[in-house]
Amino acid sequence: MTNASIKAEATKYLINTYGTARSLALVKGEGVYVWDADGKRYLDFLGGIAVNALGHCHPAVVRAITEQARTLIHCSNLYYIEPQVRLARLLVENSFADQCFFCNSGAEANEAAIKLARKWAKDHGHPERYVIVSMEQSFHGRTLAAITATGQSKYHKGFEPLPEGFRHVPYNDLEAARRALEAGDVCAVLVEPIQSEGGVNTPDRDYLRGLRALCDEFGALLILDEVQTGLGRLGRLWGYEVFQVEPDAITLAKALGGGVPIGALLAKASVAESFGPGTHASTFGGNPLASAAAYATLRTILDENLPEHAAAMGEYLQEAMLALRKEFDCILGVRGVGLLRGLEVSPEVDGNALAARCIENGLLTICTNNTILRFLPPLIIQPEHVDAAVEVVRRSLREVLG
Ligand SMILES: *Cc1c(COP(=O)(O)O)cnc(C)c1O
């Protein structure tokens, strides 16, 4: 099939949640490259939205999936699952956490975190504390509780009434967070170390530490949504390390499974104990296949020191984009940390048209908030890939500016 014929069938048979602006069907990937159905190659600086941290079809992940598929694909959590236990141990030994719960996506991981926070407050004699404080411009996923936590009204529209017990405050504003906590009804603050979907918004160095202090003062949990920032993307294994803060819980998904769907909630034992038998579950969560893929992915990230590499490549990308800024007045700034980067163009430039032009020129990227070109490349990229990507952005900018 071709791009066009796949698109035609998709338009007919798929519910139209993703729109028809898309023109490509991707059929093959290797390392930092993907190929569309017409045989054209692209440099992938979107990485399946921060999922393909090891690039495409990394041999370690392919091997793990293949071996596990021959052995046991699924059995349910009615039984102990060896790959899941191995994965949990590796996560715990390399993080602040004592225990893990596995699910299938970022939204589900946040649902688990929200439920855990409410249960934890009740278990500690505070049934009146059930509010989740989250941030304006945040993104936490598309299930009902997750969109309610998400501080962007465009994701709420049409789905009211939304669940109760959520409050939004401006990001990077400790005074606003204090006022929200002073109400005395808050069980947790849920926050992304860097807001990616919301526009690559990076907080002040002491913001998360400030939230930590406020949570301690008012008896609330600090839960970090590391669905996108976790697993090396920010140049450290965890985003909380970048901001030198210790959370009570974090949520993961995206990069965790090397492309196989898996999400996780990691927590301190003192918090995790509020999830007793029967309180939460997932049929697929942490099944043998997904756990084996995730174990191989995390093992590779650790063994190959990819967070450090991501930090170096992130600096290189930042420098290259700052050089580009000198050439184009319409580039207003470069944002982000590690390999979560955004190039901000002035509102006169159609950011979506620019992203489309980059794709035509062989570079996968995405525009967020109409003016931020987002780059989430695989952590395995090399300087020559950055050079090639920046060259495509340069050419595409020239073309859209006419
Ligand atoms: C992508 C994302 C989610 C949602 O993950 P899904 O797997 O799509 O449910 C939640 N939080 C953040 C920060 C994300 O980037």
Side-chain angles (χ1 to χ4, degrees):
M1 291 175 84
T2 63
N3 285 326
S5 67
I6 294 170
K7 175 172 179 162
E9 299 246 316
T11 305
K12 181 158 193 259
Y13 293 112
L14 299 180
I15 293 178
N16 192 25
T17 54
Y18 299 106
T20 49
R22 297 170 296 161
S23 53
L24 303 184
L26 299 182
V27 295
K28 189 178 93 165
E30 189 185 323
V32 298
Y33 296 104
V34 287
W35 285 260
D36 72 14
D38 296 346
K40 183 170 167 182
R41 190 182 83 160
Y42 301 84
L43 180 57
D44 187 0
F45 265 49
L46 186 56
I49 318 184
V51 167
N52 299 103
L54 301 183
H56 293 275
C57 301
H58 190 284
V61 178
V62 171
R63 196 179 318 117
I65 292 173
T66 310
E67 281 171 15
Q68 191 59 47
R70 281 204 205 96
T71 311
L72 182 69
I73 294 175
H74 179 82
C75 62
S76 93
N77 285 300
L78 296 172
Y79 312 95
Y80 293 113
I81 297 171
E82 188 184 346
Q84 185 186 114
V85 173
R86 275 157 40 95
L87 172 61
R89 180 173 176 175
L90 193 61
L91 284 165
V92 164
E93 287 178 350
N94 288 284
S95 75
F96 76 99
D98 300 309
Q99 292 186 315
C100 309
F101 173 85
F102 293 105
C103 51
N104 310 286
S105 68
E108 259 187 88
N110 286 328
E111 291 277 338
I114 290 164
K115 282 179 69 176
L116 179 63
R118 287 194 174 167
K119 181 82 169 37
W120 172 83
K122 285 193 182 59
D123 288 354
H124 287 77
H126 290 291
E128 78 286 3
R129 294 183 192 162
Y130 59 87
V131 170
I132 306 289
V133 169
S134 57
M135 308 305 152
E136 291 171 7
Q137 254 61 63
S138 62
F139 185 78
H140 299 295
R142 299 293 204 119
T143 57
L144 266 179
I147 58 166
T148 309
T150 293
Q152 303 186 56
S153 55
K154 67 179 178 193
Y155 293 121
H156 303 163
K157 248 185 119 205
F159 301 112
E160 301 85 355
L162 298 174
E164 277 176 47
F166 292 83
R167 188 174 300 144
H168 299 120
V169 297
Y171 192 56
N172 202 26
D173 183 340
L174 287 172
E175 268 317 302
R178 168 176 288 280
R179 284 194 295 277
L181 281 147
E182 272 170 354
D185 57 2
V186 176
C187 63
V189 172
L190 173 65
V191 59
E192 298 155 271
I194 289 184
Q195 293 183 332
S196 180
E197 203 270 348
V200 192
N201 306 318
T202 308
D204 297 337
R205 299 299 304 179
D206 59 357
Y207 176 59
L208 293 179
R209 277 198 301 269
L211 287 180
R212 170 78 274 171
L214 286 173
C215 286
D216 291 343
E217 186 180 338
F218 292 98
L221 299 178
L222 178 64
I223 303 172
L224 298 182
D225 180 340
E226 294 236 29
V227 167
Q228 193 151 157
T229 55
L231 297 153
R233 171 100 3 225
L234 300 190
R236 301 292 299 267
L237 188 58
W238 309 113
Y240 66 77
E241 293 176 280
V242 174
F243 295 96
Q244 297 172 311
V245 67
E246 180 147 317
D248 298 298
I250 64 173
T251 53
L252 303 176
K254 293 215 161 84
L256 182 57
V260 177
I262 181 168
L265 166 68
L266 274 57
K268 287 279 187 200
S270 57
V271 178
E273 66 187 13
S274 283
F275 263 171
T279 52
H280 199 53
S282 166
T283 298
F284 289 118
N287 89 357
L289 188 75
S291 294
Y295 182 87
T297 302
L298 179 55
R299 191 74 268 167
T300 305
I301 288 172
L302 292 169
D303 290 350
E304 297 185 2
N305 236 329
L306 287 179
E308 208 175 292
H309 181 69
M313 288 300 104
E315 285 304 312
Y316 189 81
L317 178 60
Q318 173 84 357
E319 289 304 315
M321 290 197 297
L322 286 175
L324 201 60
R325 184 183 173 183
K326 294 210 179 84
E327 294 172 44
F328 294 93
D329 293 339
C330 65
I331 298 180
L332 301 183
V334 186
R335 316 164 160 215
V337 173
L339 286 176
L340 199 175
R341 296 282 175 176
L343 186 76
E344 186 184 5
V345 294
S346 71
E348 297 89 73
V349 180
D350 181 343
N352 290 301
L354 177 61
R357 191 51 72 107
C358 286
I359 294 170
E360 271 170 50
N361 288 328
L363 176 72
L364 298 190
T365 175
I366 193 172
C367 177
T368 188
N369 280 356
N370 296 318
T371 55
I372 316 279
L373 215 53
R374 232 177 354 152
F375 301 109
L376 306 161
L379 308 186
I380 58 166
I381 56 161
Q382 296 297 327
E384 63 263 31
H385 304 127
V386 174
D387 295 342
V390 169
E391 189 48 44
V392 171
V393 175
R394 177 181 287 115
R395 174 147 46 102
S396 305
L397 267 168
R398 284 198 190 119
E399 288 170 6
V400 270
L401 295 171

